[in-house]
Amino acid sequence: EGDHSEAAIIAPNGRAAFARLRSGNLMVARAMGADVSARIAPASALRVRLQRNKLSVAFADVGYPPLNIMLVDAPPWVAALAAGEAP
């Protein structure tokens, strides 16, 4: 609540997004059927991987499915997260 996006990636099909928030937290959002699901967490609660322009974001708990997005070019902030650097 009351947070704002500083940078975001939206999947080519428009059904998923990954954002860095002003507070330093990260947000995963996805369309699931007729609903939208969004989850906000600190970077320490997420595993961010970047391999061959495929972004994979998984939460520490297994109750929320991982986010997978194909990228043409990964923005520097995503590459930094995947390298383990703080947002």
Side-chain angles (χ1 to χ4, degrees):
E1 293 180 23
D3 213 341
H4 300 280
S5 172
E6 286 188 335
I9 294 172
I10 300 173
N13 65 4
R15 297 187 54 82
F18 180 54
R20 181 182 66 201
L21 304 177
R22 187 175 295 160
S23 65
N25 288 330
L26 301 170
M27 181 178 73
V28 170
R30 63 170 48 108
M32 300 176 84
D35 295 323
V36 173
S37 172
R39 189 147 180 209
I40 297 172
S44 61
L46 298 171
R47 184 180 69 227
V48 179
R49 293 187 178 177
L50 185 60
Q51 296 178 334
R52 295 189 185 124
N53 291 333
K54 178 185 176 189
L55 171 65
S56 177
V57 181
F59 285 86
D61 65 359
V62 294
Y64 197 82
L67 174 72
N68 295 302
I69 298 177
M70 294 302 295
L71 304 173
V72 174
D73 290 310
W77 67 273
V78 171
L81 284 170
E85 299 172 21

XYZ file of all heavy atoms in Angstrom:
632
model
N 0.828 -1.178 0.000
C 0.000 0.000 0.000
C 0.876 1.245 0.000
O 1.842 1.317 0.735
C -0.897 0.014 1.222
C -1.926 -1.085 1.209
C -2.814 -1.063 2.429
O -2.949 -0.007 3.053
O -3.354 -2.120 2.731
N 0.530 2.197 -0.829
C 1.258 3.441 -0.873
C 2.616 3.363 -1.537
O 3.390 4.290 -1.447
N 2.933 2.261 -2.189
C 4.219 2.098 -2.857
C 4.056 2.407 -4.341
O 2.943 2.416 -4.856
C 4.730 0.672 -2.674
C 6.251 0.624 -2.580
O 6.902 1.587 -3.004
O 6.766 -0.386 -2.084
N 5.155 2.635 -5.012
C 5.118 2.962 -6.436
C 6.171 2.168 -7.184
O 7.235 1.871 -6.656
C 5.373 4.459 -6.656
C 4.372 5.327 -5.982
N 3.126 5.566 -6.503
C 4.424 6.011 -4.812
C 2.452 6.363 -5.694
N 3.224 6.642 -4.652
N 5.879 1.866 -8.422
C 6.812 1.133 -9.266
C 7.895 2.067 -9.790
O 7.607 3.169 -10.257
C 6.050 0.511 -10.444
O 6.942 -0.048 -11.359
N 9.145 1.613 -9.698
C 10.261 2.361 -10.281
C 10.607 1.827 -11.660
O 11.038 2.556 -12.526
C 11.496 2.255 -9.389
C 11.423 3.062 -8.139
C 12.739 3.077 -7.389
O 13.536 2.143 -7.535
O 12.959 4.052 -6.649
N 10.455 0.514 -11.832
C 10.770 -0.131 -13.102
C 9.949 -1.413 -13.182
O 9.660 -2.031 -12.160
C 12.256 -0.450 -13.184
N 9.587 -1.800 -14.394
C 8.769 -3.008 -14.543
C 9.031 -3.679 -15.878
O 9.471 -3.047 -16.836
C 7.287 -2.658 -14.431
N 8.765 -4.979 -15.873
C 8.802 -5.787 -17.089
C 7.422 -6.398 -17.236
O 6.885 -6.952 -16.272
C 9.839 -6.917 -16.971
C 11.234 -6.349 -16.881
C 9.725 -7.879 -18.133
C 12.265 -7.405 -16.569
N 6.863 -6.313 -18.417
C 5.562 -6.919 -18.693
C 5.765 -7.992 -19.741
O 6.437 -7.769 -20.751
C 4.550 -5.861 -19.179
C 4.371 -4.792 -18.089
C 3.218 -6.514 -19.533
C 3.535 -3.607 -18.508
N 5.210 -9.172 -19.489
C 5.333 -10.291 -20.427
C 4.740 -9.906 -21.775
O 3.797 -9.108 -21.841
C 4.620 -11.523 -19.874
N 5.280 -10.473 -22.857
C 4.774 -10.145 -24.194
C 3.264 -10.366 -24.353
O 2.604 -9.616 -25.064
C 5.554 -11.082 -25.122
C 6.823 -11.361 -24.382
C 6.436 -11.369 -22.929
N 2.703 -11.354 -23.663
C 1.261 -11.594 -23.774
C 0.450 -10.709 -22.835
O -0.784 -10.774 -22.821
C 0.934 -13.070 -23.524
C 1.237 -13.519 -22.111
O 1.626 -12.735 -21.247
N 1.076 -14.804 -21.866
N 1.110 -9.884 -22.030
C 0.430 -8.951 -21.143
C -0.205 -9.591 -19.919
O -0.926 -8.928 -19.185
N 0.069 -10.851 -19.651
C -0.596 -11.562 -18.550
C 0.274 -11.704 -17.294
O -0.165 -12.304 -16.320
C -1.069 -12.928 -19.034
C -2.125 -12.805 -20.146
C -2.738 -14.121 -20.530
N -3.292 -14.876 -19.431
C -4.507 -14.691 -18.889
N -5.284 -13.744 -19.367
N -4.920 -15.465 -17.909
N 1.476 -11.160 -17.319
C 2.349 -11.237 -16.145
C 3.288 -10.036 -16.130
O 3.610 -9.476 -17.182
C 3.150 -12.536 -16.161
N 3.717 -9.662 -14.931
C 4.641 -8.532 -14.794
C 5.520 -8.729 -13.575
O 5.150 -9.401 -12.617
C 3.863 -7.225 -14.667
N 6.700 -8.109 -13.627
C 7.665 -8.121 -12.528
C 8.110 -6.680 -12.351
O 8.479 -6.026 -13.323
C 8.845 -9.021 -12.883
C 9.904 -9.123 -11.835
C 9.597 -9.488 -10.537
C 11.232 -8.878 -12.158
C 10.588 -9.607 -9.573
C 12.220 -9.011 -11.204
C 11.903 -9.368 -9.908
N 8.039 -6.171 -11.112
C 8.356 -4.760 -10.887
C 9.239 -4.563 -9.669
O 9.161 -5.313 -8.694
C 7.070 -3.962 -10.710
N 10.075 -3.529 -9.765
C 10.864 -3.069 -8.622
C 10.132 -1.860 -8.060
O 9.816 -0.916 -8.796
C 12.270 -2.678 -9.078
C 13.160 -2.215 -7.932
C 14.511 -1.793 -8.425
N 14.340 -0.598 -9.247
C 15.224 -0.191 -10.155
N 16.297 -0.883 -10.387
N 15.010 0.909 -10.834
N 9.841 -1.885 -6.771
C 9.091 -0.810 -6.138
C 10.006 0.184 -5.447
O 11.149 -0.140 -5.099
C 8.096 -1.400 -5.136
C 7.130 -2.428 -5.714
C 6.234 -2.989 -4.612
C 6.318 -1.856 -6.844
N 9.513 1.383 -5.249
C 10.301 2.452 -4.633
C 10.811 2.053 -3.251
O 11.905 2.438 -2.840
C 9.456 3.722 -4.535
C 10.239 4.924 -4.057
C 9.427 6.181 -4.076
N 9.095 6.498 -5.465
C 8.103 7.285 -5.811
N 7.319 7.814 -4.906
N 7.871 7.539 -7.083
N 10.048 1.241 -2.529
C 10.439 0.811 -1.181
C 11.598 -0.182 -1.189
O 12.151 -0.496 -0.136
C 9.248 0.145 -0.497
O 8.917 -1.061 -1.193
N 11.954 -0.703 -2.375
C 12.985 -1.729 -2.471
C 12.406 -3.123 -2.590
O 13.110 -4.076 -2.898
N 11.103 -3.261 -2.332
C 10.443 -4.544 -2.512
C 10.249 -4.845 -3.988
O 10.384 -3.947 -4.841
C 9.082 -4.553 -1.817
C 9.198 -4.605 -0.319
O 10.148 -5.164 0.214
N 8.244 -4.015 0.377
N 9.924 -6.096 -4.280
C 9.655 -6.519 -5.649
C 8.219 -7.028 -5.725
O 7.684 -7.538 -4.740
C 10.627 -7.622 -6.050
C 12.103 -7.220 -5.973
C 12.989 -8.441 -6.157
C 12.429 -6.156 -6.994
N 7.611 -6.887 -6.888
C 6.229 -7.329 -7.066
C 6.125 -8.238 -8.281
O 6.677 -7.953 -9.333
C 5.290 -6.144 -7.261
C 3.835 -6.564 -7.429
S 2.685 -5.193 -7.613
C 3.064 -4.665 -9.275
N 5.400 -9.331 -8.110
C 5.038 -10.220 -9.201
C 3.532 -10.112 -9.351
O 2.797 -10.217 -8.363
C 5.445 -11.676 -8.903
C 4.857 -12.622 -9.922
C 6.964 -11.803 -8.869
N 3.064 -9.889 -10.560
C 1.625 -9.829 -10.829
C 1.333 -10.705 -12.031
O 2.137 -10.794 -12.956
C 1.195 -8.396 -11.095
N 0.174 -11.350 -11.995
C -0.219 -12.181 -13.133
C -1.721 -12.277 -13.213
O -2.414 -12.211 -12.204
C 0.414 -13.558 -13.057
C -0.004 -14.377 -11.886
C 0.451 -15.829 -11.977
N 1.832 -15.967 -12.319
C 2.793 -16.360 -11.495
N 2.486 -16.672 -10.279
N 4.027 -16.453 -11.883
N -2.179 -12.419 -14.446
C -3.602 -12.666 -14.690
C -3.823 -14.163 -14.533
O -3.093 -14.975 -15.100
C -3.977 -12.216 -16.090
N -4.808 -14.511 -13.722
C -5.126 -15.920 -13.479
C -6.623 -16.082 -13.701
O -7.422 -15.759 -12.823
C -4.720 -16.323 -12.063
C -3.231 -16.143 -11.803
S -2.730 -16.501 -10.118
C -2.550 -18.261 -10.211
N -6.972 -16.529 -14.897
C -8.390 -16.626 -15.247
C -8.973 -15.234 -15.352
O -8.424 -14.374 -16.028
N -10.051 -14.989 -14.637
C -10.709 -13.681 -14.670
C -10.173 -12.753 -13.581
O -10.629 -11.626 -13.450
C -12.210 -13.852 -14.501
N -9.203 -13.217 -12.793
C -8.668 -12.438 -11.684
C -7.219 -12.030 -11.932
O -6.563 -12.548 -12.822
C -8.713 -13.260 -10.393
C -10.130 -13.587 -9.959
O -11.011 -12.720 -10.126
O -10.343 -14.701 -9.458
N -6.750 -11.125 -11.100
C -5.346 -10.721 -11.114
C -4.772 -11.018 -9.737
O -5.385 -10.707 -8.714
C -5.191 -9.216 -11.434
C -3.744 -8.780 -11.282
C -5.706 -8.925 -12.820
N -3.609 -11.631 -9.719
C -2.918 -11.939 -8.474
C -1.640 -11.126 -8.429
O -0.902 -11.073 -9.405
C -2.590 -13.438 -8.422
O -1.773 -13.722 -7.330
N -1.393 -10.480 -7.303
C -0.163 -9.704 -7.131
C 0.435 -10.055 -5.782
O -0.287 -10.228 -4.799
C -0.444 -8.216 -7.213
N 1.736 -10.148 -5.757
C 2.434 -10.473 -4.514
C 3.661 -9.584 -4.404
O 4.425 -9.453 -5.348
C 2.831 -11.935 -4.517
C 3.347 -12.388 -3.191
C 2.995 -13.824 -2.940
N 3.522 -14.208 -1.639
C 3.890 -15.418 -1.325
N 3.777 -16.391 -2.201
N 4.348 -15.684 -0.139
N 3.840 -8.984 -3.239
C 4.964 -8.087 -2.968
C 5.824 -8.717 -1.883
O 5.304 -9.222 -0.885
C 4.455 -6.706 -2.526
C 3.645 -6.069 -3.660
C 5.611 -5.805 -2.102
C 2.936 -4.798 -3.268
N 7.136 -8.679 -2.087
C 8.059 -9.270 -1.113
C 9.419 -8.585 -1.217
O 9.769 -8.019 -2.263
C 8.214 -10.763 -1.383
N 10.214 -8.666 -0.148
C 11.586 -8.160 -0.238
C 12.405 -9.067 -1.156
O 12.079 -10.243 -1.340
C 12.093 -8.226 1.207
C 11.207 -9.203 1.896
C 9.890 -9.175 1.188
N 13.450 -8.517 -1.716
C 14.297 -9.283 -2.645
C 14.843 -10.549 -1.993
O 15.022 -11.563 -2.664
C 15.443 -8.406 -3.156
N 15.055 -10.524 -0.687
C 15.596 -11.689 0.009
C 14.634 -12.872 0.024
O 15.042 -14.003 0.263
C 15.980 -11.315 1.445
O 14.828 -10.874 2.159
N 13.358 -12.628 -0.235
C 12.355 -13.698 -0.242
C 12.131 -14.275 -1.640
O 11.282 -15.141 -1.815
C 11.032 -13.179 0.322
N 12.886 -13.780 -2.625
C 12.724 -14.227 -4.006
C 14.021 -14.806 -4.547
O 15.108 -14.384 -4.163
C 12.329 -13.049 -4.907
C 11.014 -12.371 -4.600
C 10.888 -11.118 -5.426
C 9.865 -13.305 -4.876
N 13.880 -15.755 -5.453
C 15.036 -16.262 -6.195
C 14.847 -15.786 -7.630
O 13.907 -16.183 -8.307
C 15.103 -17.788 -6.133
C 16.355 -18.324 -6.819
C 16.431 -19.822 -6.763
N 15.379 -20.380 -7.617
C 14.559 -21.357 -7.268
N 14.628 -21.898 -6.081
N 13.651 -21.794 -8.097
N 15.735 -14.916 -8.072
C 15.662 -14.358 -9.422
C 16.776 -14.980 -10.250
O 17.947 -14.901 -9.886
C 15.813 -12.814 -9.397
C 15.752 -12.247 -10.800
C 14.734 -12.194 -8.516
N 16.404 -15.588 -11.359
C 17.381 -16.194 -12.269
C 17.178 -15.639 -13.665
O 16.058 -15.391 -14.090
C 17.216 -17.711 -12.302
C 17.584 -18.358 -11.004
C 17.560 -19.838 -11.130
N 17.972 -20.437 -9.869
C 17.991 -21.714 -9.655
N 17.618 -22.556 -10.592
N 18.369 -22.187 -8.489
N 18.277 -15.498 -14.359
C 18.250 -15.024 -15.731
C 19.173 -15.910 -16.537
O 20.384 -15.937 -16.311
C 18.711 -13.565 -15.783
C 18.630 -12.858 -17.117
C 17.197 -12.812 -17.629
C 19.187 -11.453 -16.985
N 18.601 -16.689 -17.451
C 19.380 -17.580 -18.300
C 18.894 -17.445 -19.737
O 17.718 -17.689 -20.015
C 19.230 -19.029 -17.842
C 19.783 -19.287 -16.467
C 19.588 -20.715 -16.026
O 18.675 -21.395 -16.468
N 20.457 -21.185 -15.161
N 19.815 -17.078 -20.614
C 19.487 -16.935 -22.035
C 18.219 -16.118 -22.257
O 17.321 -16.514 -22.977
C 19.346 -18.304 -22.685
C 20.622 -19.075 -22.697
C 20.474 -20.327 -23.539
N 21.684 -21.102 -23.418
C 21.718 -22.355 -23.026
N 20.607 -22.992 -22.750
N 22.857 -22.987 -22.938
N 18.142 -14.990 -21.571
C 17.023 -14.059 -21.678
C 15.700 -14.624 -21.175
O 14.637 -14.115 -21.505
C 16.872 -13.523 -23.094
C 18.014 -12.602 -23.453
O 18.603 -11.980 -22.576
N 18.343 -12.512 -24.713
N 15.735 -15.680 -20.382
C 14.542 -16.174 -19.707
C 14.635 -15.762 -18.251
O 15.540 -16.172 -17.526
C 14.417 -17.686 -19.802
C 13.201 -18.203 -19.062
C 13.147 -19.713 -19.069
C 11.964 -20.175 -18.239
N 11.991 -21.626 -18.033
N 13.693 -14.933 -17.815
C 13.629 -14.494 -16.435
C 12.751 -15.464 -15.662
O 11.639 -15.783 -16.080
C 13.027 -13.087 -16.366
C 12.698 -12.560 -14.968
C 13.971 -12.382 -14.153
C 11.923 -11.263 -15.069
N 13.244 -15.933 -14.532
C 12.482 -16.802 -13.650
C 12.534 -16.208 -12.252
O 13.620 -15.934 -11.727
C 13.086 -18.211 -13.647
O 12.384 -19.031 -12.739
N 11.367 -15.981 -11.665
C 11.271 -15.421 -10.321
C 10.442 -16.381 -9.483
O 9.292 -16.653 -9.795
C 10.595 -14.028 -10.334
C 10.532 -13.452 -8.924
C 11.321 -13.078 -11.265
N 11.048 -16.902 -8.414
C 10.364 -17.848 -7.532
C 10.398 -17.322 -6.102
O 11.395 -16.757 -5.657
C 11.027 -19.215 -7.606
N 9.296 -17.524 -5.395
C 9.208 -17.142 -3.993
C 9.799 -18.240 -3.124
O 9.843 -19.399 -3.519
C 7.754 -16.876 -3.600
C 7.236 -15.574 -4.129
C 6.699 -15.492 -5.391
C 7.313 -14.424 -3.363
C 6.239 -14.289 -5.894
C 6.854 -13.214 -3.857
C 6.312 -13.147 -5.124
N 10.226 -17.871 -1.924
C 10.812 -18.841 -1.006
C 9.807 -19.921 -0.626
O 10.167 -21.069 -0.437
C 11.328 -18.133 0.244
N 8.526 -19.554 -0.522
C 7.515 -20.573 -0.240
C 6.994 -21.135 -1.561
O 7.073 -20.503 -2.602
C 6.371 -20.021 0.604
C 5.560 -18.942 -0.101
O 5.885 -18.585 -1.244
O 4.602 -18.445 0.491
N 6.502 -22.334 -1.526
C 6.079 -22.990 -2.767
C 4.599 -22.769 -3.072
O 4.079 -23.296 -4.042
C 6.378 -24.508 -2.724
C 7.873 -24.744 -2.686
C 5.685 -25.161 -1.535
N 3.924 -21.963 -2.279
C 2.494 -21.739 -2.464
C 2.149 -20.804 -3.611
O 0.980 -20.670 -3.965
N 3.118 -20.152 -4.198
C 2.864 -19.214 -5.296
C 3.713 -19.663 -6.477
O 4.928 -19.817 -6.343
C 3.250 -17.796 -4.865
C 2.689 -16.702 -5.725
C 1.388 -16.249 -5.549
C 3.466 -16.106 -6.713
C 0.874 -15.230 -6.330
C 2.958 -15.084 -7.494
C 1.663 -14.645 -7.294
O 1.157 -13.635 -8.070
N 3.106 -19.907 -7.620
C 3.879 -20.434 -8.748
C 4.949 -19.450 -9.226
O 4.768 -18.233 -9.150
C 2.830 -20.670 -9.831
C 1.660 -19.851 -9.447
C 1.705 -19.683 -7.959
N 6.065 -19.972 -9.718
C 7.122 -19.080 -10.216
C 6.662 -18.310 -11.451
O 5.783 -18.758 -12.186
C 8.272 -20.025 -10.553
C 7.672 -21.369 -10.660
C 6.419 -21.376 -9.845
N 7.264 -17.170 -11.647
C 6.998 -16.343 -12.813
C 8.099 -16.596 -13.830
O 9.285 -16.564 -13.487
C 7.001 -14.864 -12.413
C 6.888 -13.850 -13.538
C 5.474 -13.862 -14.091
C 7.251 -12.472 -13.042
N 7.732 -16.852 -15.059
C 8.704 -17.049 -16.140
C 8.333 -16.118 -17.284
O 7.196 -16.146 -17.757
C 8.692 -18.501 -16.623
C 9.159 -19.442 -15.545
O 10.258 -19.308 -15.035
N 8.319 -20.385 -15.173
N 9.287 -15.298 -17.693
C 9.072 -14.343 -18.792
C 10.279 -14.402 -19.720
O 11.422 -14.348 -19.270
C 8.907 -12.895 -18.273
C 7.678 -12.768 -17.370
C 8.813 -11.911 -19.435
C 7.506 -11.370 -16.772
N 10.023 -14.480 -21.006
C 11.090 -14.391 -22.002
C 11.363 -12.917 -22.287
O 10.432 -12.133 -22.477
C 10.686 -15.110 -23.296
C 10.529 -16.609 -23.125
S 11.995 -17.463 -22.518
C 13.129 -17.216 -23.868
N 12.645 -12.553 -22.300
C 13.051 -11.170 -22.543
C 13.913 -11.091 -23.793
O 14.690 -12.004 -24.073
C 13.873 -10.655 -21.365
C 13.236 -10.733 -19.981
C 14.262 -10.341 -18.927
C 12.030 -9.835 -19.913
N 13.807 -10.000 -24.516
C 14.720 -9.758 -25.631
C 16.052 -9.282 -25.051
O 17.100 -9.808 -25.372
C 14.129 -8.725 -26.615
C 15.137 -8.377 -27.685
C 12.845 -9.267 -27.234
N 15.997 -8.288 -24.203
C 17.168 -7.774 -23.488
C 16.765 -7.553 -22.045
O 15.755 -6.902 -21.773
C 17.643 -6.445 -24.082
C 18.254 -6.611 -25.456
O 19.116 -7.486 -25.597
O 17.863 -5.863 -26.368
N 17.540 -8.067 -21.129
C 17.249 -7.879 -19.707
C 17.708 -6.495 -19.271
O 18.841 -6.116 -19.523
C 17.946 -8.945 -18.881
N 16.833 -5.736 -18.612
C 17.250 -4.439 -18.079
C 18.341 -4.626 -17.020
O 18.402 -5.669 -16.360
C 15.977 -3.878 -17.447
C 14.855 -4.705 -17.961
C 15.427 -6.023 -18.349
N 19.182 -3.634 -16.823
C 20.269 -3.746 -15.839
C 19.790 -4.114 -14.433
O 20.450 -4.868 -13.732
C 20.936 -2.367 -15.863
C 20.600 -1.813 -17.208
C 19.253 -2.369 -17.559
N 18.644 -3.604 -14.009
C 18.171 -3.895 -12.654
C 17.809 -5.369 -12.501
O 18.006 -5.948 -11.432
C 17.019 -2.980 -12.242
C 15.727 -3.158 -12.986
C 15.371 -2.557 -14.158
C 14.618 -3.970 -12.598
N 14.108 -2.960 -14.527
C 13.617 -3.815 -13.587
C 14.359 -4.818 -11.529
C 12.398 -4.470 -13.525
C 13.136 -5.466 -11.466
C 12.172 -5.298 -12.445
N 17.319 -6.002 -13.562
C 17.001 -7.433 -13.510
C 18.292 -8.250 -13.482
O 18.422 -9.200 -12.711
C 16.116 -7.852 -14.700
C 15.956 -9.365 -14.777
C 14.750 -7.186 -14.594
N 19.251 -7.874 -14.314
C 20.544 -8.573 -14.318
C 21.223 -8.455 -12.957
O 21.813 -9.412 -12.465
C 21.435 -8.007 -15.418
N 21.105 -7.304 -12.305
C 21.707 -7.104 -10.983
C 21.025 -8.001 -9.950
O 21.702 -8.608 -9.117
C 21.609 -5.641 -10.568
N 19.714 -8.102 -9.992
C 18.998 -8.992 -9.072
C 19.413 -10.449 -9.277
O 19.632 -11.181 -8.319
C 17.489 -8.861 -9.263
C 16.839 -7.632 -8.680
C 15.386 -7.529 -9.158
C 16.882 -7.676 -7.163
N 19.514 -10.853 -10.528
C 19.905 -12.230 -10.834
C 21.324 -12.521 -10.372
O 21.655 -13.661 -10.024
C 19.768 -12.495 -12.338
N 22.170 -11.495 -10.331
C 23.550 -11.648 -9.861
C 23.648 -11.587 -8.338
O 24.734 -11.699 -7.786
C 24.428 -10.571 -10.484
N 22.505 -11.384 -7.664
C 22.497 -11.363 -6.216
C 22.710 -9.992 -5.602
O 22.886 -9.869 -4.393
N 22.666 -8.978 -6.425
C 22.832 -7.619 -5.920
C 21.485 -7.100 -5.416
O 20.448 -7.397 -5.989
C 23.375 -6.710 -7.006
C 24.736 -7.144 -7.507
C 25.191 -6.364 -8.718
O 24.677 -5.245 -8.965
O 26.055 -6.877 -9.438
N 21.501 -6.325 -4.349
C 20.273 -5.773 -3.778
C 19.647 -4.784 -4.750
O 20.345 -4.144 -5.524
C 20.574 -5.085 -2.455
N 18.309 -4.665 -4.698
C 17.639 -3.721 -5.611
C 17.972 -2.277 -5.303
O 18.358 -1.933 -4.227
C 16.151 -3.994 -5.378
C 16.049 -4.703 -4.099
C 17.380 -5.346 -3.843
